[in-house]
Amino acid sequence: ALRCNQNHPTPVTMMVPQARRRRRGLVTSLFRIGPNVGQRCLRATNPLAVSLSIVSCWCAFRMLSTSSAPRPTVEPPLASAFASFRATARPTASHRASSISASSSSSALRRGFRSSAGTSATTATAAAAAASGNAPGTAGTTAVSPNSDSTVSSSAVSHDAYDVVKVDDVTEYGARATLFRHKKTGAEVLSVEKDDENKVFGIVFRTPPTDSTGIPHILEHSVLCGSRKYTVKEPFTELMKSSLNTFLNAFTYPDRTCYPVASQNLKDFYNLVNVYLDAVFFPRAVTDPQVMAQEGWHYELDKEDDPLTRKGVVFNEMKGVYSQPDNIMGKVEMEALFPDNTYGVDSGGDPQVIPSLTFEQFKSFHQANYHPSNARVYFYGDDPVKERLDLLDSYLSEFEENKVDTTVGWQPLLKEPRKISGKFPSNSEEGKYMASVNWVVHDSPLKSEDKLAISILSHLLMGTSASVLRKALTDSGLGEQVLGGGFDDTLQQTVFNVGLKGLKGDEDAEKVENLVIDILSKLKDEGFPEKAVAASINTIEFRLREFNTGGFPKGLMLMLGALEEWIYGGDPLNGMRFEKDLASLKQRLKDGEPVFQNIIKSMLIDNTHRVTVSMAPDTQLEAKDQEEERKELDGIKSSMSADDVKKIVEETKLLKEAQAAEDPPEAVATMPTLSLSDLDKKQRDIPIKVEDHKEGTKLVTHALSTSGIMYLDMALNLQALPMEDLPLIPLFERLLTEAGTQGKDAVALSQYIGTHTGGLGVSHFISQKANGAAVGDPSSVLGYLTLRAKCVSEKVDTMLDIAEEVLTTAKLDNRQRAIEILKETKAGLEAAIVGSGHRYAAGRLSSRFTVADHIGEKMGGLDYLATVKEMLEQAENDDTWPALQKRLEGIRSALLCTKGDKRMIINLTADQELLDSSRSQIDKFVDRMHGNSIGDASATKLHDWAEEAKMEAAENEGFPVPTQVNYVGFGGQLFKSGEEMSGSAQVISKFLSTGFLWDQVRVIGGAYGGFCGIDPVSGLFRFLSYRDPNLQGTVDNYKAAADFLANIELTQEELEKAVIGTIGDIDSPTSPDQKGFTSLTRWLVGREHADLQRRRDQILGTTVNDFKEFGKRLQQLNTEAKAVVIGSGQAFEEAKDINFNLKNVL
């Protein structure tokens, strides 16, 4: 885990509604380049957006969005989430990655993944190299079939309960797929056999809603709250606490609901499958109205004289969603684009409509949709096919076939374009307007080859900062940040969306529309340059062949790809293949067919189903909405009889009692469990070899199977810079790859990178140094700028040449691009602070205690926003720009003084044969870097940031923003420097997050998430909440956690469950490139394998007394801990027991 630069914001994948189409993620991508935080994901049960395994490679693996449609939402497990909210995360443990972009569902395989600083992502086992041949986009590279050494059974497995519909090999991924149909119910089952121990199961129901009450979303939450066989209140949290899962979640799309799980342990895997099957078919939620009240909405009244309020997890979640301008705009867009079908309503729920949902409607929706006849079931991995089918049949056989019609209707194309306007809450009206141009591009099914062509066209138009349409919008100067990502085929009908935010006024909306249409018209007539086409095809093809799924199970990606057609009655295997379509598309281009021009003409220019949306800021809207809600609730209460009021009070009391009640032992006993004997006692090691190279440079290598791909991490010591220059680093990084070089303009450079590599980009990390088993010195810090790239073996020389070129000749004098980057960053930060306030609260809180976190706040936190505004003013002013440019040039000169101990580090991950064969190329590259003419030979001093840092004392800080929810942080230094901290602290933190905080902050309090975490290097402990309707009450709950632990009594079974779940977090599978980078950072900060093994031993040896002692420490922390809150002004007014220093951030 590392400090990650704000240019590549935290990959938060929180719940977002179907209409939120502002940040279109590239299929299966999690993040965007620059300030566009990747939040376009699924609505999900678990609110914790990021897990440490993702954050630890985030600074190098930002994923660039190029698609544009409604997103489902997903959030990963609680325990691993906290570390991801660090401003400085630590390279200590590899936690489970269980968050995934909604866009994964569409073209999940065709489009692949994006990465570090601007192109492809590098976060999973590389399965292949880029394409071979001379067609556009091949770049002369060598094709390698992914996982080609994998074997599958040669014949289909038969089963008495199923008919075999189809059997075929998916040669692209070395898998055998069999499509079954359950004889009794008609359920379709896709069984994928693959030599992969990370097994995946998913059951998916088509669930198109007819209104915006949020039934699909609320039901997705609710079915996991107890079932026929598993009678605890929250089986989902029990699994989070005590399984070895590598993925555990549920998420809601606009037209389907998915329930996927994954595990490397066969016993655990079937436990997960059983719990999920029982949950979806036999949930407690359809017989107990309290479940819908808790997860959906309910009136709350503690006393008869109290004002009436509404609460509910989804209700509060969606209030947070619709506090964000981008999401409000997305809702307006979707309603206008789809006036006649299900996509025009919000499957996640509109807070103004959710309270109209009744329990009878809720129950009827489950009965109609959650039936085997409406299900698509998926299995993947190395488990026995017969056992899969037996297990599934034990549930399906209880049902008869039911001919329910859940077909998603087609939206007829509009006969003429429309213009729509709307408003959103804002603190200021200056420069806050937004506009977008949107199309629905077809009203009948597309062929898979057409979808592939569309995905490549989307990359051509919007895939990088140099892509023609994206660049034209940026260069126009009309706004601050590009919105949308082009085409998105997540749903049955593909949409195209693009726009700008930060416009000066409503009148600019027409200018945006005209610009978009003009650029597209020109492209329709003239086409794209051959080099641009080659680069985009190579980029997409590299991703497809590499099949880099990051921390996510490969089987999950395949499932989402299969669903792309399967959910609409098509062939699931079409979504898992690409070879035939890719070859055909290349041949058509080679033959001179204007493929992309034809698409632009038919789907965009000649298509009248176009909606232009303009959004205006309203400084009174938040207060107006709150006042209207208060009046409505007061009116409802005044219309109640005395008995009605008493009934609400009684229902509130009963619900809270039920929420607070412990599960009885007989209910707990129904949950399937593992034992400590199922755990590996040994910490997994990563091969590492460190060599002294010339002039103090270190060469670090990791011999791992990468199927012929070389992963490069080049690190330059940031301590060559004074601390005052560090806030300029995010801008510097982006200029290196986006401003062009002396030999290539920005467009040519982007195309060259896309043609010859799988991605190249620049980021950074800052970390406190480790101190063995003890807490580290808060003033001990290190930092590196990292250039990260990947290529096939034949392109190592070219990749190294590009790395040298961007580092030594990037045009740091490109003032226009600097201004554009700063505008984008400013707009992105402002949006992220409102939508992901927990991350900024966490960073702010930590910044008062360690130098590393202090620097993180300056480079990516709330303070950084103020710095960005200052830099933007400097860049726009003719008199001050030269000084800013000089500082940027000075940064390069200092960093490129590469001679000296650890001033430059080369980290390589590849097959041993490739490491050996490329050694001479690496040696020459190091020599060239040492001999560069840019580096300042006199800049040999490494700065002591601890002396330069101006640390501020911790205080209670409040940051009012236009929102209806709060992000509440609370904590401090739990373990002091030099104190030893046991690995048991990790067990206890997870236990608190999945137990006490889940119950008190989420279930009873109504927040979308409540969690905590301990940093083993700094000793900092922090509580955080997400989309929280409360403030004071949440802080009170945080404080109550201390007494809860100090007085806890745990059974041996409960203790073992907590240990098992923690080990599951640590042992999640990682890809070779992740392993290589993680190993590098561990070496740099001083985390040795022995330290990790000791921590593992301590986790396995956790006792009840450890919990009690931890609680006593928290009791002491309560006396000095501080709160940092980003939330609504009203919440601060009501929090009278905390003396906040209120500050304006926006």
Side-chain angles (χ1 to χ4, degrees):
L2 314 166
R3 160 92 54 207
C4 302
N5 41 334
Q6 187 59 40
N7 267 345
H8 325 314
T10 303
V12 202
T13 55
M14 296 294 180
M15 149 69 210
V16 275
Q18 83 166 49
R20 269 152 300 154
R21 300 169 46 252
R22 306 313 323 136
R23 298 194 170 89
R24 304 344 198 252
L26 177 66
V27 180
T28 64
S29 74
L30 285 174
F31 329 124
R32 284 189 62 98
I33 280 213
N36 295 331
V37 184
Q39 299 181 74
R40 299 279 318 151
C41 288
L42 328 176
R43 302 174 183 68
T45 296
N46 191 337
L48 303 188
V50 202
S51 54
L52 181 53
S53 59
I54 294 176
V55 173
S56 50
C57 57
W58 152 46
C59 58
F61 304 148
R62 314 171 269 147
M63 298 189 181
L64 181 65
S65 16
T66 60
S67 55
S68 63
R71 297 279 182 248
T73 10
V74 66
E75 296 86 10
L78 293 165
S80 51
F82 178 81
S84 66
F85 304 128
R86 280 186 53 77
T88 54
R90 312 288 177 188
T92 56
S94 177
H95 287 249
R96 174 167 63 257
S98 13
S99 163
I100 186 171
S101 164
S103 52
S104 306
S105 66
S106 82
S107 309
L109 308 176
R110 282 199 313 279
R111 297 199 187 171
F113 311 86
R114 285 292 181 77
S115 98
S116 144
T119 44
S120 307
T122 55
T123 47
T125 304
S132 61
N134 299 315
T138 61
T141 53
T142 302
V144 181
S145 296
N147 307 301
S148 56
D149 58 340
S150 301
T151 58
V152 295
S153 59
S154 59
S155 60
V157 174
S158 61
H159 194 288
D160 290 343
Y162 303 85
D163 290 322
V164 176
V165 178
K166 184 176 186 177
V167 185
D168 209 346
D169 290 334
V170 183
T171 56
E172 287 88 341
Y173 302 106
R176 161 65 58 87
T178 306
L179 182 62
F180 296 94
R181 184 182 186 277
H182 190 250
K183 294 178 180 178
K184 190 176 180 185
T185 64
E188 296 182 16
V189 183
L190 183 61
S191 174
V192 180
E193 300 166 68
K194 180 77 172 68
D195 186 17
D196 186 348
E197 67 175 356
N198 199 9
K199 293 163 277 290
V200 175
F201 162 82
I203 183 165
V204 183
F205 301 96
R206 214 159 46 193
T207 53
T210 58
D211 56 41
S212 294
T213 55
I215 296 183
H217 185 195
I218 297 169
L219 192 55
E220 171 235 298
H221 280 241
S222 300
V223 300
L224 295 170
C225 294
S227 63
R228 182 182 64 179
K229 286 170 62 175
Y230 307 108
T231 56
V232 294
K233 292 184 300 179
E234 301 266 5
F236 182 77
T237 59
E238 292 300 315
L239 293 175
M240 285 197 299
K241 293 175 186 176
S242 60
S243 83
L244 297 175
N245 72 82
T246 56
F247 191 91
L248 177 71
N249 221 317
F251 34 87
T252 305
Y253 288 77
D255 56 12
R256 77 204 80 148
T257 308
C258 306
Y259 296 88
V261 297
S263 180
Q264 298 175 97
N265 180 287
L266 183 61
K267 178 181 177 183
D268 186 53
F269 178 61
Y270 285 146
N271 285 347
L272 297 172
V273 174
N274 270 295
V275 172
Y276 264 48
L277 285 172
D278 204 62
V280 297
F281 290 129
F282 309 108
R284 172 173 69 99
V286 297
T287 59
D288 184 353
Q290 284 188 334
V291 176
M292 194 201 89
Q294 170 183 293
E295 298 298 322
W297 80 278
H298 63 274
Y299 289 122
E300 186 157 301
L301 204 57
D302 289 317
K303 300 177 183 177
E304 292 182 28
D305 294 335
D306 287 349
L308 184 67
T309 61
R310 291 190 187 104
K311 280 193 177 179
V313 173
V314 169
F315 177 71
N316 290 322
E317 174 190 348
M318 298 310 296
K319 284 183 112 177
V321 164
Y322 286 122
S323 292
Q324 296 174 251
D326 289 7
N327 296 336
I328 297 171
M329 185 177 195
K331 180 175 184 290
V332 173
E333 292 170 348
M334 290 300 287
E335 289 173 349
L337 283 171
F338 295 99
D340 305 313
N341 80 347
T342 188
Y343 301 144
V345 299
D346 191 346
S347 64
D350 183 330
Q352 295 183 352
V353 183
I354 289 173
S356 66
L357 176 63
T358 68
F359 182 65
E360 288 305 315
Q361 291 173 314
F362 176 78
K363 188 165 61 172
S364 297
F365 191 87
H366 177 271
Q367 183 179 4
N369 294 279
Y370 280 59
H371 189 279
S373 301
N374 188 41
R376 275 79 172 166
V377 186
Y378 174 89
F379 283 94
Y380 164 95
D382 62 1
D383 59 308
V385 174
K386 186 177 184 303
E387 289 189 25
R388 297 174 176 176
L389 299 178
D390 284 343
L391 190 162
L392 181 61
D393 181 56
S394 69
Y395 288 89
L396 300 185
S397 60
E398 296 193 45
F399 295 85
E400 301 292 336
E401 187 165 7
N402 180 18
K403 298 289 187 179
V404 59
D405 183 10
T406 57
T407 304
V408 177
W410 288 85
Q411 169 65 51
L413 296 185
L414 302 175
K415 301 301 182 184
E416 58 184 25
R418 296 180 179 178
K419 295 182 185 294
I420 305 292
S421 62
K423 294 184 177 181
F424 60 89
S426 175
N427 283 349
S428 168
E429 294 184 359
E430 183 179 351
K432 297 287 187 180
Y433 292 79
M434 302 189 294
S436 67
V437 188
N438 311 267
W439 282 267
V440 173
V441 304
H442 64 105
D443 58 0
S444 60
L446 295 175
K447 295 179 181 178
S448 56
E449 186 177 334
D450 294 332
K451 292 184 178 182
L452 176 60
I454 286 172
S455 69
I456 295 171
L457 174 57
S458 201
H459 186 271
L460 278 163
L461 292 170
M462 300 291 294
T464 73
S465 61
S467 295
V468 58
L469 182 55
R470 184 182 183 90
K471 188 174 187 300
L473 286 163
T474 302
D475 292 349
S476 71
L478 290 171
E480 295 179 341
Q481 184 182 34
V482 175
L483 295 173
F487 291 99
D488 192 303
D489 56 2
T490 302
L491 304 178
Q492 180 168 256
Q493 288 177 266
T494 300
V495 299
F496 184 93
N497 163 268
V498 70
L500 281 169
K501 69 190 307 183
L503 304 175
K504 295 180 177 62
D506 255 339
E507 64 277 3
D508 286 339
E510 185 174 354
K511 296 177 184 178
V512 172
E513 179 186 46
N514 291 338
L515 176 61
V516 170
I517 293 174
D518 287 348
I519 294 296
L520 292 174
S521 297
K522 182 178 179 181
L523 291 169
K524 174 193 66 110
D525 295 333
E526 301 176 7
F528 294 89
E530 184 177 339
K531 289 183 178 180
V533 175
S536 289
I537 291 179
N538 186 71
T539 298
I540 299 299
E541 185 171 2
F542 193 104
R543 297 172 192 163
L544 290 169
R545 298 190 181 283
E546 186 189 22
F547 195 32
N548 197 330
T549 62
F552 305 121
K554 291 181 180 295
L556 179 58
M557 297 294 101
L558 286 170
M559 182 187 90
L560 296 175
L563 283 169
E564 172 185 322
E565 292 194 19
W566 193 18
I567 198 69
Y568 304 117
D571 185 347
L573 300 190
N574 285 345
M576 301 169 68
R577 293 186 171 124
F578 63 84
E579 290 284 11
K580 182 179 177 181
D581 290 338
L582 184 60
S584 174
L585 180 59
K586 284 183 177 182
Q587 187 61 50
R588 290 165 61 193
L589 292 168
K590 186 177 180 181
D591 293 342
E593 182 182 342
V595 176
F596 303 122
Q597 291 167 263
N598 290 343
I599 293 174
I600 292 173
K601 181 179 187 301
S602 63
M603 292 189 171
L604 300 176
I605 296 301
D606 293 347
N607 178 8
T608 55
H609 193 112
R610 184 177 79 239
V611 175
T612 300
V613 174
S614 60
M615 299 293 292
D618 186 337
T619 57
Q620 305 301 316
L621 187 58
E622 180 189 10
K624 180 182 176 183
D625 288 345
Q626 290 174 345
E627 182 182 356
E628 287 181 355
E629 183 182 25
R630 183 69 268 153
K631 285 182 178 178
E632 179 194 5
L633 288 168
D634 288 345
I636 290 171
K637 187 181 180 185
S638 65
S639 68
M640 291 180 178
S641 66
D643 288 342
D644 291 335
V645 172
K646 289 179 180 179
K647 182 181 179 183
I648 298 295
V649 171
E650 180 64 16
E651 288 176 347
T652 300
K653 176 175 175 289
L654 292 175
L655 178 59
K656 289 187 175 182
E657 287 176 352
Q659 291 170 330
E662 295 289 333
D663 286 311
E666 59 271 19
V668 175
T670 64
M671 290 297 298
T673 59
L674 301 175
S675 66
L676 293 182
S677 63
D678 294 309
L679 305 181
D680 188 350
K681 304 300 187 293
K682 299 295 183 183
Q683 177 69 29
R684 299 174 184 179
D685 201 3
I686 300 173
I688 182 172
K689 181 180 180 182
V690 181
E691 301 177 50
D692 290 324
H693 209 280
K694 299 177 182 178
E695 304 289 354
T697 292
K698 303 296 182 183
L699 179 62
V700 184
T701 56
H702 313 276
L704 295 166
S705 176
T706 62
S707 299
I709 293 180
M710 170 69 80
Y711 295 98
L712 164 70
D713 309 305
M714 177 183 178
L716 299 174
N717 198 326
L718 282 173
Q719 287 183 277
L721 305 174
M723 198 176 136
E724 65 180 9
D725 281 345
L726 294 181
L728 275 68
I729 289 298
L731 171 62
F732 175 77
E733 291 164 353
R734 290 191 62 185
L735 285 172
L736 288 180
T737 56
E738 297 179 37
T741 63
Q742 289 179 7
K744 300 178 183 70
D745 64 23
V747 175
L749 177 63
S750 176
Q751 292 172 357
Y752 195 71
I753 291 172
T755 300
H756 296 284
T757 76
L760 180 147
V762 187
S763 56
H764 67 267
F765 72 87
I766 307 289
S767 179
Q768 184 177 341
K769 294 179 182 177
N771 185 26
V775 170
D777 180 350
S779 66
S780 179
V781 61
L782 59 84
Y784 280 87
L785 182 96
T786 56
L787 181 147
R788 309 197 61 191
K790 60 183 176 180
C791 69
V792 294
S793 57
E794 296 91 335
K795 293 291 182 177
V796 172
D797 263 338
T798 305
M799 177 179 70
L800 295 173
D801 288 344
I802 297 172
E804 180 183 5
E805 181 177 5
V806 299
L807 286 170
T808 59
T809 72
K811 294 183 68 60
L812 301 180
D813 60 348
N814 190 335
R815 181 181 177 187
Q816 179 183 350
R817 187 61 192 136
I819 291 172
E820 292 164 354
I821 290 170
L822 290 168
K823 285 182 176 180
E824 291 172 5
T825 303
K826 172 179 169 289
L829 283 167
E830 289 171 342
I833 289 169
V834 175
S836 305
H838 57 293
R839 178 161 63 89
Y840 294 91
R844 185 72 167 199
L845 187 61
S846 300
S847 71
R848 306 313 193 197
F849 296 95
T850 75
V851 174
D853 289 299
H854 173 75
I855 294 172
E857 172 68 10
K858 299 299 181 184
M859 296 178 74
L862 298 174
D863 280 347
Y864 181 60
L865 175 57
T867 302
V868 168
K869 292 177 180 179
E870 292 172 5
M871 287 193 291
L872 180 57
E873 289 182 6
Q874 287 180 291
E876 290 180 323
N877 188 308
D878 291 341
D879 295 331
T880 54
W881 162 248
L884 181 59
Q885 180 195 334
K886 184 178 180 180
R887 291 181 69 188
L888 292 168
E889 297 284 3
I891 287 172
R892 175 159 60 186
S893 295
L895 290 177
L896 290 185
C897 175
T898 57
K899 297 178 181 179
D901 185 45
K902 293 186 180 178
R903 291 291 291 256
M904 182 170 72
I905 298 168
I906 305 297
N907 187 61
L908 303 172
T909 303
D911 307 274
Q912 185 63 59
E913 182 180 356
L914 180 53
L915 290 173
D916 293 339
S917 65
S918 61
R919 180 57 187 261
S920 64
Q921 298 161 302
I922 298 298
D923 290 344
K924 292 175 183 177
F925 173 70
V926 172
D927 288 342
R928 295 200 304 272
M929 291 306 303
H930 285 324
N932 78 82
S933 61
I934 304 296
D936 181 357
S938 65
T940 57
K941 173 187 175 183
L942 291 181
H943 289 262
D944 185 345
W945 290 337
E947 288 187 0
E948 298 176 16
K950 298 177 182 178
M951 303 280 288
E952 299 177 45
E955 61 175 341
N956 294 320
E957 293 183 279
F959 299 90
V961 297
T963 181
Q964 299 182 61
V965 292
N966 307 297
Y967 303 91
V968 184
F970 182 76
Q973 191 98 39
L974 189 61
F975 290 84
K976 307 300 182 184
S977 177
E979 282 190 289
E980 289 201 8
M981 183 175 67
S982 170
S984 63
Q986 191 170 336
V987 180
I988 298 162
S989 295
K990 180 180 176 74
F991 180 85
L992 268 182
S993 291
T994 57
F996 180 84
L997 294 175
W998 179 279
D999 291 338
Q1000 299 300 319
V1001 177
R1002 176 188 166 103
V1003 174
I1004 298 176
Y1008 192 33
F1011 31 93
C1012 66
I1014 182 78
D1015 187 320
V1017 176
S1018 68
L1020 294 177
F1021 185 86
R1022 297 172 308 183
F1023 294 95
L1024 292 170
S1025 71
Y1026 178 71
R1027 288 181 180 161
D1028 189 346
N1030 309 302
L1031 195 168
Q1032 180 70 61
T1034 295
V1035 173
D1036 292 342
N1037 282 323
Y1038 292 160
K1039 292 180 177 180
D1043 290 341
F1044 168 76
L1045 288 177
N1047 299 298
I1048 198 168
E1049 297 296 335
L1050 288 178
T1051 66
Q1052 184 61 28
E1053 182 181 8
E1054 289 172 323
L1055 183 61
E1056 289 189 6
K1057 285 181 178 180
V1059 170
I1060 291 167
T1062 305
I1063 292 295
D1065 289 341
I1066 293 173
D1067 285 350
S1068 62
T1070 53
S1071 60
D1073 55 310
Q1074 286 176 316
K1075 289 175 182 175
F1077 192 70
T1078 297
S1079 181
L1080 168 69
T1081 56
R1082 286 176 178 171
W1083 171 70
L1084 283 172
V1085 303
R1087 291 289 278 182
E1088 299 180 358
H1089 181 73
D1091 298 325
L1092 302 177
Q1093 183 61 56
R1094 178 173 55 248
R1095 179 199 60 175
R1096 189 183 191 89
D1097 293 340
Q1098 291 168 345
I1099 288 171
L1100 291 168
T1102 299
T1103 67
V1104 176
N1105 190 59
D1106 291 329
F1107 280 71
K1108 294 178 180 290
E1109 291 301 317
F1110 197 91
K1112 293 176 182 177
R1113 277 189 178 265
L1114 283 182
Q1115 288 174 332
Q1116 177 60 39
L1117 181 65
N1118 280 344
T1119 64
E1120 56 192 48
K1122 300 299 180 183
V1124 175
V1125 179
I1126 296 172
S1128 69
Q1130 181 179 343
F1132 289 112
E1133 293 175 6
E1134 295 172 354
K1136 302 185 184 302
D1137 294 344
I1138 305 174
N1139 184 24
F1140 281 106
N1141 183 2
L1142 296 181
K1143 302 176 181 180
N1144 182 21
V1145 63
L1146 298 181

